[in-house]
């Protein structure tokens, strides 16, 4: 990505005097005053960008998913502003296999004791599942119940021999563990199964409703759904007493080789051999406009870039901003970008900063665990420095923060797997907020006796600037808005964005980007990929589990 030089925004050098706020990392070189940029990057301006993304979704079928006109219009909007600001902007073409559900799925227990399970709560259609409408007996496949003491004790469905007694025409009940879900589903299909129900394994952290992906190479024509450990365990218990009949119905479409793009923008000044990257995925899920996920990261990066130009900042190191496509299809855009780098170009990237969901309505302040001290999954050398820069910044502002794992769930994954130091911020998705986190960050841990997630509209149509109008629980969102003193309101309407969170996280984004852009030493260059990160690289594929 080396490029010829052209005129800078304006020849203005960022002051390095010690004033209100400085970088405190020992690796960051001369401390950089980031006050002016932080004050210039405001939640109000970012919300205005989100309003434009909402309009784009509204005009394009309610979505900004990669491969749709809504995504193309999103790229056009961001590119136009960046070009006008003087950035060197390029588009990177690639293709991916797009998955869509064409109708609501069905998962029912026909007998005994008929029960209809709720999509999005009790079960999810596995991404890249085939279509089918089947009613058939359920058959357990090599289950480990009660579950073993550690994750992947079960290898249910991982071997063809697990299906030696399987009756053709039945629906397979398999348990999470050991191998990719696609392997379990393919083995079931080869054994004559007409559908597959995969339930979570059962250990701590592996009990919730399973949102699984089979990967875009899966092509067997049968319905596959994921469910919780509790439902799977109940079905297994019923099977011990007699026949269980299940009804599964999925209607899906897999489009092959769908064209889409990444958008890359660079500062016209800065060392080509010392590139500071900051990225966010621009695409939404097909089900909604993706205003929180990931309009917040995309809008914050855009406003940071625009204000760097507006202030006439000339960075010592090149800043390369990226808006990734097809993240929701399995991190495709960022992986394509990293795969396309030459060894020399990869070595020139000093670090990568990732911002995916930074305005969750019931937020927490999460910093990626670069040194692995909290989760045992450390990033490449230098990732600990990035984590420290964010932690020190929040401490300087009197704000609490906590680590979140490098679990392969967002676009940093390709970078850490390639040995490039990485870090970033996150404010929470479908996980439940704890009472201890409420004490730190405000919000709600429960409502009407039920747990409350960081983002109750995660991956839904209500991830919008009008969640109540788009189907969210009005009482819950009214209570969340009250808990945060009206911080969810935009133009008088309760949104799915917490502007208090967005302001705090935008300050941290601006601070980290400028700190590393002006550093004379930065972090410790490109290193070998983290062995610990690679050990778990298969657990996540984008927003869904692959095993």
């Amino acid at each position: 990505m080396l490029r010829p030089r052209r005129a800078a925004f304006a020849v203005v050098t960022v002051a390095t005097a010690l004033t209100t706020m400085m970088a405190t990392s020992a690796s960051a070189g001369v401390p950089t005053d980031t006050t002016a940029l932080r004050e210039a990057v405001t939640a109000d301006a970012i919300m205005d960008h989100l309003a434009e993304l909402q309009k784009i979704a509204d005009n394009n079928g309610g979505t900004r998913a990669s491969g749709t006109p809504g995504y193309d219009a999103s790229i056009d909007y961001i590119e136009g502003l960046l070009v006008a600001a003087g950035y060197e902007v390029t588009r990177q073409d690639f293709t991916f296999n797009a998955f869509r559900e064409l109708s609501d799925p069905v998962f029912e227990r026909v007998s005994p004791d008929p029960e209809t399970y709720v999509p999005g709560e009790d079960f999810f259609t596995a991404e890249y599942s085939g279509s089918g409408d089947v009613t058939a007996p359920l058959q357990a496949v090599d289950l480990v119940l009660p579950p073993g003491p550690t994750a992947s004790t079960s290898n249910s469905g991982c071997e063809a021999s697990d299906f030696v007694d399987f009756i053709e025409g039945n629906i397979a009940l398999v348990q999470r563990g050991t191998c990719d879900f696609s392997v379990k589903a393919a083995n079931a299909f080869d054994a004559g199964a007409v559908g597959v129900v995969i339930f979570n394994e059962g250990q701590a952290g592996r009990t919730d409703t399973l949102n699984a992906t089979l990967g875009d190479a899966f092509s067997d024509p049968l319905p596959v759904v994921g469910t919780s450990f509790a439902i799977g365990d109940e079905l297994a218990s019923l099977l011990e007493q007699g026949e269980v009949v299940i009804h599964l119905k999925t209607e899906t479409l897999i489009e092959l080789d769908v064209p889409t793009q990444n958008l890359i923008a660079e500062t016209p000044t800065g060392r080509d051999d010392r590139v500071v990257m900051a990225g966010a995925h621009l695409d939404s899920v097909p089900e909604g406009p993706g205003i929180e996920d990931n309009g917040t990261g995309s809008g914050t990066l855009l406003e940071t870039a625009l204000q760097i130009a507006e202030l006439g900042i000339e960075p010592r190191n090149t800043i390369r901003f990226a808006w990734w496509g097809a993240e929701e299809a399995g991190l495709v855009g960022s992986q394509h970008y990293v795969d396309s780098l030459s060894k020399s170009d990869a070595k020139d990237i000093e670090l990568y900063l990732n911002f995916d969901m930074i305005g969750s309505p019931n937020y927490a302040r999460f910093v990626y665990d670069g040194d692995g001290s909290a989760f045992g999954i450390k990033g490449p050398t230098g990732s600990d420095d990035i984590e420290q820069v964010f932690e020190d910044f929040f401490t300087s502002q009197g704000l609490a923060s906590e680590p979140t794992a490098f679990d392969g769930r967002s676009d940093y994954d390709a970078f850490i797997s390639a040995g490039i130091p990485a870090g970033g911020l996150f404010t929470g998705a479908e996980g439940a907020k704890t009472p201890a986190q409420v004490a730190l960050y405000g919000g709600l841990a429960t409502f009407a006796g039920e747990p409350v997630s960081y983002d109750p509209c995660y991956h839904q149509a209500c991830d919008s600037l009008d969640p109540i109008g788009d189907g969210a629980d009005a009482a819950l969102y009214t209570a969340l808005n009250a808990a945060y003193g009206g911080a969810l309101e935009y133009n008088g309407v309760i949104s799915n964005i917490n502007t208090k969170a967005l302001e705090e996280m935008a300050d941290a984004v601006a601070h980290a980007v400028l700190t590393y852009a002006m550093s004379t030493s930065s972090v410790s260059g490109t290193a070998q990929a983290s062995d610990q990160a690679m050990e778990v690289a298969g657990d996540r594929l984008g927003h869904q589990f692959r095993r």
Side-chain angles (χ1 to χ4, degrees), residues 150-168:
T150 59
S152 288
T153 300
S154 168
N155 66 349
S156 167
C158 290
E159 300 169 354
S161 59
D162 293 342
F163 293 87
V164 66
D165 297 322
F166 193 82
I167 298 172
E168 186 173 350

Side-chain angles (χ1 to χ4, degrees), residues 507-521:
D507 282 351
V509 171
H511 172 69
V513 169
L514 188 55
T515 292
Y516 284 115
M518 301 306 294
S519 166
T520 56
S521 57

Side-chain angles (χ1 to χ4, degrees), residues 32-68:
T32 299
D33 177 16
T34 64
T35 307
L37 181 60
R38 288 186 288 113
E39 290 178 348
V41 177
T42 67
D44 286 345
I46 298 166
M47 291 298 292
D48 289 344
H49 294 310
L50 299 188
E52 292 299 320
L53 295 180
Q54 180 72 63
K55 289 178 186 177
I56 288 169
D58 291 344
N59 292 333
N60 291 280
T63 187
R64 299 185 305 100
S66 272
T68 70

Side-chain angles (χ1 to χ4, degrees), residues 38 355 390 393-394 425 503-513:
R38 288 186 288 113
F355 305 111
F390 284 119
F393 173 75
F394 285 128
L425 302 174
E503 189 73 58
E504 293 167 355
M505 303 307 266
D507 282 351
V509 171
H511 172 69
V513 169

Side-chain angles (χ1 to χ4, degrees), residues 256-322:
L256 303 180
D257 299 324
V258 176
T260 192
Q261 296 173 319
N262 295 321
L263 184 69
I264 312 295
E266 289 193 352
T267 53
T269 62
R271 288 179 54 173
D272 285 338
D273 61 342
R274 299 178 70 86
V275 176
V276 173
M277 282 203 72
H281 75 86
L282 182 56
D283 61 318
S284 72
V285 293
E287 293 79 9
I291 298 304
E292 210 286 291
D293 180 17
N294 182 35
T296 52
S298 292
T300 300
L301 274 193
L302 173 60
E303 187 61 18
T304 300
L306 295 179
Q307 292 305 321
I308 286 173
E310 180 68 22
L311 293 172
I313 294 170
E314 284 202 333
R316 293 192 180 98
N317 304 320
T318 292
I319 308 173
R320 182 179 299 159
F321 294 99

